[in-house]
Amino acid sequence: MTPGRIRRNGLGIIGLVLAGVAILAAFAAPLLAPHDPLNADFTQSLKPPGTTGHPWGTDQLGRDLLSRVIYGARIALFIGLCTVLLTAVVGGVLGLLAGYFGGWPGAVLMRLVDVQLSFPFIFLAITINAIVGLGLRNIIISLAAAGWVVYARVVRGEVLSVKQREYVHAAAALGLGRGRILFRLAQKMRDELPRLAEIETRNSGKPIVESEYDLTDVATCFEYYGGLATKIHGDVLPVPDNAVSL
């Protein structure tokens, strides 16, 4: 998108400004946060917004919510960036291979994409996180495993179109190996970079929003209630299996 089109798009300017403010706030967290986000003060617990010294109030442990939101922006942006990059790379490579080679591997991959797209994103992310375990790395892996399908479908569709062009058939007729042709097709994907960038921009907020649900806590609840179900029904299944069944 050219600078002129950006200036004519009022909503785009607003979104760009808000994103810039969030990024600047994350980098300047030590300067902007009024309190230590980890400092607990039980005498100040559950203060309402507007309290002196705590504009956004406090949580049950007396920690300042404004400070926690500002510092939390760092983790949220890190999760969003890592997830988008990982999904773009994995989905792009799988889509490239599925589109070029086709056959039953490509058909199986696309059926997997269709099945995965039939489930809500947050449900898949929570389920995968409950299986792989807790931690920031596993949250990123869970979100990426739930979101790679969009990129795979877009790249596969473009490769199916490009590989039918004359210069691709000419390269194959001249004896160029599949690896070199794939490399050239990957270079041709630069024409799709604006479309992929649009998808990344649109989807970059999804991991941030979903991570705000705190998948770690949600997965813990799944495991906890899965364990209760195991005790109630007398089953001996692993806890993640009970959690998914629940």
Side-chain angles (χ1 to χ4, degrees):
M1 183 176 289
T2 62
R5 291 182 62 185
I6 294 177
R7 286 193 296 267
R8 289 193 297 269
N9 191 338
L11 292 178
I13 294 177
I14 293 175
L16 187 62
V17 170
L18 292 178
V21 170
I23 294 173
L24 288 177
F27 278 103
L31 300 176
L32 297 178
H35 300 279
D36 185 342
L38 301 178
N39 185 28
D41 184 2
F42 291 100
T43 62
Q44 298 292 322
S45 62
L46 299 177
K47 293 294 183 179
T51 302
T52 303
H54 302 285
W56 287 12
T58 60
D59 62 7
Q60 64 272 21
L61 298 180
R63 298 172 297 189
D64 183 67
L65 290 180
L66 176 59
S67 301
R68 292 180 63 79
V69 168
I70 294 175
Y71 273 93
R74 291 181 166 187
I75 300 177
L77 292 174
F78 176 76
I79 291 176
L81 177 62
C82 292
T83 301
V84 167
L85 292 178
L86 187 58
T87 52
V89 171
V90 173
V93 171
L94 291 178
L96 178 64
L97 296 176
Y100 181 75
F101 291 104
W104 68 265
V108 171
L109 180 64
M110 287 302 103
R111 297 297 76 76
L112 176 62
V113 168
D114 293 337
V115 170
Q116 186 164 328
L117 287 174
S118 66
F119 290 95
F121 177 85
I122 184 61
F123 174 78
L124 281 176
I126 291 174
T127 302
I128 296 171
N129 189 255
I131 295 173
V132 301
L134 309 179
L136 182 62
R137 181 189 62 184
N138 289 338
I139 290 178
I140 295 174
I141 293 174
S142 302
L143 293 172
W148 65 272
V149 292
V150 178
Y151 300 91
R153 171 172 283 186
V154 171
V155 173
R156 175 181 176 269
E158 182 62 21
V159 171
L160 287 175
S161 173
V162 172
K163 79 172 187 176
Q164 301 300 329
R165 297 178 184 174
E166 293 182 357
Y167 61 83
V168 178
H169 292 295
L174 291 174
L176 240 63
R178 287 185 172 182
R180 193 167 180 182
I181 294 177
L182 271 174
F183 179 74
R184 294 298 183 184
L185 286 177
Q187 287 183 321
K188 284 294 181 182
M189 287 298 101
R190 66 177 181 268
D191 297 333
E192 281 294 298
L193 287 180
R195 186 178 178 188
L196 292 176
E198 179 185 353
I199 295 175
E200 290 184 359
T201 303
R202 188 171 62 248
N203 289 345
S204 61
K206 184 184 293 185
I208 296 175
V209 173
E210 305 299 352
S211 66
E212 295 302 326
Y213 284 98
D214 197 350
L215 295 182
T216 301
D217 291 342
V218 177
T220 303
C221 292
F222 266 104
E223 293 180 0
Y224 173 74
Y225 287 109
L228 287 182
T230 301
K231 294 179 181 178
I232 292 173
H233 296 290
D235 299 331
V236 291
L237 295 174
V239 168
D241 291 341
N242 287 327
V244 173
S245 299
L246 181 64

